[in-house]
Amino acid sequence: MGKSASGKDRIYSELTGRKELNLEKLVLYTTRPIRSGEENGREYFFVDGKKLEEIKEKKCLIESREYHTVHGIWTYFTADEGQINVKDFDYLGIGTLESFRKLKDYYGKDKVCAIYVEVEDGERLTRALQREKMQKNPGYAELCRRFLADQEDFSEENIKKAGIEKRFENIELNECVEEIIKYIKSIQ
C-alpha cells in the first residue's frame, strides 16, 4: 500500500512475477471504469453497483471504501467469494490502510502483514501527471483529488494507527523491489 503514484502497481507486478516468492494475486474489486491498459481480473475485477449489492447480500464483502470522485462515486472493495485460501497460500494485494486493518480483522493479525511504499510528494505528482497524460481522456481533476485525499488518508497518525512499522522508499524501482523481496522471504 501507499499513496497514489508511489509505484504500487509496478512493484505488485514485479513481486507477483517472482516464482521464488510463490505469491498468489489478491485481486480487489472496483466500480470505477477500467483504464487504458488495464484488464478485468488482473488489476481489479471491474464490476457495477448491482454486482456489489449481490456480494453484500451473499455476505462475502470483507471491506469497502467509497470515493467521491469528479466522475461520481467509485467503490473499491475486497470480497471473499471462495477464491481466497489463506490456509494454503500466501497472497499479495494492493489496498489502503483501512483495507489493511479490515483484512487483519477478517483473516487474523498473524495472516496479514503490510508492505508500505513511500515516494516524495513532488516525485509522486510528476509520476501521476505522466501516467494521466497517457490516458485517452486524461482526468486531471481526479488526479488532484486523489493526491490531496492521500495526504489525509496516509497521514502519519493513520499510518501509526494501522501498525505500520516498516516502510519501503521507492526511489529506484529495482532496489525497492529487492528490499521488499528480502522482507517477504524473512516473514514467510
Side-chain angles (χ1 to χ4, degrees), residues 9-109:
D9 293 327
R10 295 270 315 273
I11 292 169
Y12 176 82
S13 179
E14 289 286 328
L15 295 174
T16 56
R18 299 289 181 105
K19 299 287 187 212
E20 74 269 20
L21 296 177
N22 200 27
L23 297 171
E24 300 292 322
K25 293 180 181 182
L26 177 63
V27 181
L28 306 182
Y29 296 70
T30 185
T31 61
R32 79 153 165 81
I34 193 168
R35 291 181 185 144
S36 174
E38 290 179 327
E39 185 180 308
N40 190 36
R42 188 179 62 198
E43 287 81 13
Y44 293 97
F45 292 113
F46 294 93
V47 299
D48 58 17
K50 182 179 177 188
K51 176 67 175 175
L52 173 56
E53 290 307 313
E54 288 173 15
I55 289 171
K56 285 179 182 178
E57 287 173 18
K58 292 190 306 187
K59 303 207 183 305
C60 297
L61 186 69
I62 297 172
E63 60 82 29
S64 68
R65 314 143 325 269
E66 284 188 349
Y67 296 98
H68 296 264
T69 75
V70 296
H71 304 291
I73 297 173
W74 291 347
T75 305
Y76 290 79
F77 59 99
T78 308
D80 186 355
E81 295 187 285
Q83 79 277 22
I84 303 168
N85 175 0
V86 297
K87 182 181 171 212
D88 297 325
F89 300 100
D90 291 330
Y91 292 84
L92 184 67
I94 298 175
T96 64
L97 293 174
E98 183 63 22
S99 65
F100 169 66
R101 286 196 298 264
K102 295 221 174 144
L103 285 167
K104 281 195 312 186
D105 291 344
Y106 185 83
Y107 290 110
K109 292 180 181 180

Side-chain angles (χ1 to χ4, degrees), residues 152-169:
E152 185 176 329
D153 294 345
F154 289 95
S155 68
E156 286 301 315
E157 179 183 336
N158 287 342
I159 291 169
K160 187 175 183 177
K161 193 183 337 179
I164 305 296
E165 295 175 5
K166 181 128 179 81
R167 300 175 189 212
F168 299 90
E169 197 168 2

Side-chain angles (χ1 to χ4, degrees), residues 119-132:
V119 172
E120 186 271 327
D121 284 342
E123 178 62 24
R124 271 192 329 105
L125 190 56
T126 299
R127 292 177 184 183
L129 185 58
Q130 289 171 343
R131 179 179 69 192
E132 204 59 38

